[in-house]
Amino acid sequence: MKNTSAVAVRKGVLTAIILIFLQLINMTAALGAMLEKMITSAKSVKSVSPLFYGVIVALVAFFIAFSFIRSLYRPGKPKPTPLYCLGESLVIGLVSGVLIAALNALISTLNANGVKIRTYLDMMAPDAIKTAAFGREIPVMIGIYLALTIAGALLGGLIAWIIKSTGQPANAWAALQRAIAENHTIRFIRRNKIVRILVIIAILIFVFALPFILSPYGISILGLVLIYAVLGLGLNLIVGLSGQLVFGFVAFYAIGAYTFALLTAPKPLGLEFSFPIAFLVALAISGLSGVIVGLPIMNLRGDYLAIVTLGFAEIIRSLVNSNLLADFTGGPQGIKDIGQPRQPGFIESLIGKPMPENIYFLYVIMIFFAVTLYIVYRLQYSRVGRSWEAMREDETVAQACGVATSYYKVLAVIIGAVIAGAAGALYASRNTYIGPGDFVFMVSVNSLAVIVVGGMGSIPGALIGAFIIKGVPELLRDLENYRMVVFGVLLIAMMIIRPEGLLPIRRKKIYAEPDKDLEILKKELKP
Amino acid sequence: MYFQIQDLNVYYRAIHALQGISLTVNKGEIVALIGGNGAGKSSTLNSISGVVDITSGSITYQDENITGRATDQIVRKGLVQVPEGRHIFPKMTVQENLEMGAFLKNDKAQIQRDMERVFDLFPRMKERRNQPGGTLSGGEQQMLAIGRGLMGDPDLMLLDEPSMGLSPILVEQIFDIIVDINSQGTSILLVEQNAQMALAVADRGYVLETGEIVLTGSGLDLLNDPKVRAAYLGGDSDASESGSGAYYF
């Protein structure tokens, strides 16, 4: 027991360290402001109110105490008594409260004595110091901090104890699952074909209406997310299914985008092709680049493959960025006035006026996403998909089973390249401008992150991953400077909680029964 | 001639791994290829399967020269290798692993029958057919690897160290199954370090040493050959006691 108390002290120190760091980068205030905005639904919060600042402090203590008390319940160990739990939580709250209060007392005292804290701690402006001190005198402030951390920790410990000793959430979860399994309505929806079709139609109507519901900002984000989902689906074929670690996926994306741009823009080539033709040519050229890359790397595996493809991507980027080729590719200035698809006439006759450009383009992207989804799905569950998976699992045996590995490897790269090229062409057309800055290494990293976060080889995973990699940072805009910090923490947490991705690929378990099938076959073959 | 290798030479860059090997397998035989580490056993199998490039020499199978053919072409002809170290597809289920073995087959009824045959040989595989291959035990994985090889409906099966890393009881089981498969009409070229077991089941054997065949004869002859006993079977101690699994080199 004594041992766990020492751990509690350590957890208290940990809480204090988190609080101190949050305060020093002024993130406590930012989080508080976000919370305040959410709860009071104010348009903008200039400076956070003490109440919400305090809630954030208490929440940190709450979570640490909660997870600590929960961790005390281990199989094979005696269950801790409620009094003991509260005692440990109190230790956490006390230790962290004392430390964070001490820091603020120090800063406030120095500030009062005319030391310019800001010289040393960039985020600690006088205003911020005042907020952190709740605008009170030092003794009151210390009291507030202690009260906050102790209250937070006690509450956390209490809730953890309630959950663990009653086993409620686990039971509730099981009960819910049972209810779902037994519930006739849900089973009805799952089993009944007509109902299932109706549900699918409802979802389709919702998706169809989505561009009209969303704000212009939302439309632009959804478009970007879908383009990245397409990229993810393409890369998924190469990395997730065929198991080749291609690191320079942006190269194909860039080739598709540049081909499309050069064919449709008035400058520098002045070709001004129409959308469908330019789009098909872009697909063909990116497929061709897939062949050119795919053939020499056929025999490379793992890290070597990653480096070679990375190099290829850099070559492409340097080429389009170079002044030498500026007459041909637009050079560092990029290409503007890229062509857009023309709306077919029936839309105007149907709704009376032309559809807004951004809404129309979102539909184009949606249709394209659906087509890619269909192609990728059919590929994955085909003979080709199976041979890719076999190659990923074990190339030697795949070969021993008669899979022509070189052929299927290059095939994966080509199909992936075509999909990426199409995504690039759409991107160019949507933005009407592209430049070398759009095709940096980060695009490759992001598209890889899309499939890692979503789950390697998983098709719904690519969509979820794209939403998280491209959509969530936009949802976090309220956090301003701390956006990427929070995003990074989210990604780390996600990979710890679900190391195989959010929606990892599941093996289908619907199998033929060999005996039964053989019986049926025998009957069929007899006459 | 059913299967014949003539004067096979293989180089790994400067290393002369196989130095003019010639061997034959007659229809319906079990032929054992034994030898120490680095003798060139696996290289021989890999060059037959077309995984390793051959420098010179020829490989004939069912009166056809298959030297330098692509691996999948060779597998298509019913010459199937079960690679060393089991190598199952760990994330695929047992059934999917077996289906991969029939990758080049189009006749679904035949695939069903082959799968039934594998399940007859390895009832354990049937119990576990929805389980990922990686969760099987070592012996089961070896069974799965052999079963997968059988799904290709091989006429000549190349087995690379099927006893590797298995307990003596499992080794005996695996060898029983090999004899079983052979009695159903599949010829077998068996590479083994466990010379005792391999020679006991083989019709004929070849002894490889640093890329050359140094001895050949019937399984029994080799088993009783003083040189083989000295080199591979731990002297002339109780070599006749079979299946103890103690005679690795």
Side-chain angles (χ1 to χ4, degrees), chain A residues 372-385 459:
Chain A
T372 319
L373 205 63
Y374 178 74
I375 293 173
V376 169
Y377 183 84
R378 294 290 305 207
L379 273 174
Q380 181 157 355
Y381 295 104
S382 72
R383 175 187 176 76
V384 179
I459 290 174

Side-chain angles (χ1 to χ4, degrees), chain A residues 111-256:
Chain A
N111 191 41
N113 290 336
V115 179
K116 284 210 175 83
I117 311 278
R118 220 178 168 173
T119 346
Y120 312 106
L121 297 168
D122 196 48
M123 298 306 281
M124 286 288 99
D127 271 356
I129 293 170
K130 213 171 153 193
T131 316
F134 297 103
R136 305 295 175 94
E137 294 301 309
I138 289 173
V140 185
M141 184 261 298
I142 293 175
I144 292 177
Y145 266 113
L146 277 175
L148 281 173
T149 52
I150 290 172
L154 283 182
L155 199 63
L158 189 70
I159 289 180
W161 174 75
I162 290 172
I163 287 173
K164 273 296 173 183
S165 55
T166 57
Q168 264 322 306
N171 287 350
W173 182 238
L176 185 71
Q177 282 185 324
R178 233 184 355 255
I180 289 174
E182 284 166 12
N183 190 312
H184 294 289
T185 346
I186 290 169
R187 208 167 61 189
F188 182 63
I189 293 173
R190 278 163 96 172
R191 296 270 169 82
N192 192 308
K193 236 181 200 165
I194 297 167
V195 176
R196 209 164 56 198
I197 289 170
L198 283 179
V199 169
I200 290 171
I201 288 175
I203 293 172
L204 281 181
I205 288 174
F206 172 73
V207 170
F208 190 74
L210 206 56
F212 288 102
I213 302 167
L214 289 171
S215 65
Y217 178 61
I219 287 174
S220 134
I221 297 305
L222 185 60
L224 193 64
V225 165
L226 286 180
I227 287 178
Y228 264 84
V230 169
L231 263 182
L233 287 175
L235 191 59
N236 215 357
L237 288 186
I238 307 180
V239 181
L241 280 185
S242 84
Q244 307 177 77
L245 187 53
V246 167
F247 231 60
F249 200 52
V250 66
F252 305 124
Y253 184 57
I255 287 169

Side-chain angles (χ1 to χ4, degrees), chain A residues 383 386-387 389-390 393-394 397-404 408 507 511 513-515 517-518 521 525, chain B residues 71-72 75 81 87 89-93 95-96 99-100 103-104 109 112-113 116 119 126 129-130 148:
Chain A
R383 175 187 176 76
R386 183 64 71 80
S387 60
E389 280 190 81
E393 302 271 286
D394 197 315
V397 196
Q399 216 169 350
C401 290
V403 178
Y408 283 108
R507 303 236 63 94
Y511 276 124
E513 294 280 329
D515 330 286
D517 284 10
L518 201 69
L521 269 174
L525 292 174
Chain B
T71 311
D72 50 305
V75 175
Q81 183 180 359
H87 280 292
F89 300 113
K91 283 184 187 159
M92 289 190 183
T93 62
Q95 179 152 350
E96 284 173 316
E99 283 167 2
M100 272 313 295
F103 188 76
L104 293 173
Q112 279 297 345
R113 256 175 260 133
E116 200 56 26
F119 285 153
K126 191 171 182 175
R129 64 174 177 273
N130 281 334
R148 189 183 48 204

Side-chain angles (χ1 to χ4, degrees), chain A residues 416-450:
Chain A
V418 169
I419 293 176
L426 277 182
Y427 177 80
S429 177
R430 190 184 81 122
N431 282 18
T432 69
Y433 164 83
I434 54 166
D438 291 326
F439 305 103
V440 290
F441 177 54
M442 269 317 281
V443 179
S444 300
V445 174
N446 276 337
S447 40
L448 204 58
V450 163

Side-chain angles (χ1 to χ4, degrees), chain B:
Chain B
M1 186 53 66
Y2 178 64
F3 178 82
Q4 186 172 36
I5 299 180
Q6 271 175 324
D7 198 25
L8 180 67
N9 280 285
V10 167
Y11 285 83
Y12 297 121
R13 308 237 166 164
I15 299 162
H16 198 172
L18 295 182
Q19 307 174 5
I21 283 179
S22 300
L23 63 81
T24 55
V25 179
N26 298 317
K27 177 114 186 105
E29 267 188 331
I30 299 183
V31 174
L33 195 58
I34 62 169
N37 284 332
K41 306 186 300 291
S42 295
S43 296
T44 310
L45 287 199
N46 286 341
S47 36
I48 297 171
S49 297
V51 178
V52 168
D53 286 337
I54 297 163
T55 311
S56 69
S58 75
I59 301 169
T60 339
Y61 171 61
Q62 292 183 338
D63 300 322
E64 202 174 329
N65 187 353
I66 57 162
T67 323
R69 291 269 182 92
T71 311
D72 50 305
Q73 294 303 323
I74 294 171
V75 175
R76 209 179 283 276
K77 294 190 67 63
L79 212 167
V80 177
Q81 183 180 359
V82 178
E84 181 183 354
R86 307 198 263 277
H87 280 292
I88 44 107
F89 300 113
K91 283 184 187 159
M92 289 190 183
T93 62
V94 168
Q95 179 152 350
E96 284 173 316
N97 265 284
L98 292 176
E99 283 167 2
M100 272 313 295
F103 188 76
L104 293 173
K105 301 278 170 230
N106 288 321
D107 180 358
K108 286 198 173 157
Q110 182 63 42
I111 292 175
Q112 279 297 345
R113 256 175 260 133
D114 285 343
M115 191 164 299
E116 200 56 26
R117 177 181 166 212
V118 171
F119 285 153
D120 277 346
L121 275 173
F122 307 105
R124 188 60 71 80
M125 295 301 110
K126 191 171 182 175
E127 284 166 32
R128 312 212 154 180
R129 64 174 177 273
N130 281 334
Q131 199 172 315
T135 60
L136 299 180
S137 76
E140 288 165 352
Q141 289 189 10
Q142 185 63 60
M143 291 175 190
L144 180 55
I146 294 176
R148 189 183 48 204
L150 283 175
M151 289 299 290
D153 200 15
D155 210 56
L156 172 58
M157 212 175 180
L158 312 173
L159 291 172
D160 201 348
E161 303 241 6
S163 78
M164 191 165 127
L166 299 182
S167 70
I169 289 181
L170 274 174
V171 172
E172 277 201 53
Q173 270 182 27
I174 293 281
F175 274 92
D176 284 349
I177 286 162
I178 291 171
V179 173
D180 228 25
I181 292 169
N182 178 249
S183 67
Q184 289 173 23
T186 307
S187 319
I188 286 170
L189 179 56
L190 175 68
V191 154
E192 259 301 336
Q193 294 222 6
N194 188 340
Q196 173 80 34
M197 284 301 283
L199 291 175
V201 301
D203 298 308
R204 290 183 303 113
Y206 292 87
V207 179
L208 261 177
E209 228 166 64
T210 55
E212 283 177 282
I213 288 175
V214 292
L215 260 179
T216 169
S218 79
L220 218 61
D221 284 349
L222 287 179
L223 210 52
N224 293 322
D225 187 285
K227 269 192 283 179
V228 175
R229 292 173 74 95
Y232 306 122
L233 300 174
D236 52 359
S237 56
D238 46 346
S240 52
E241 185 191 308
S242 71
S244 68
Y247 309 115
Y248 293 88
F249 15 125

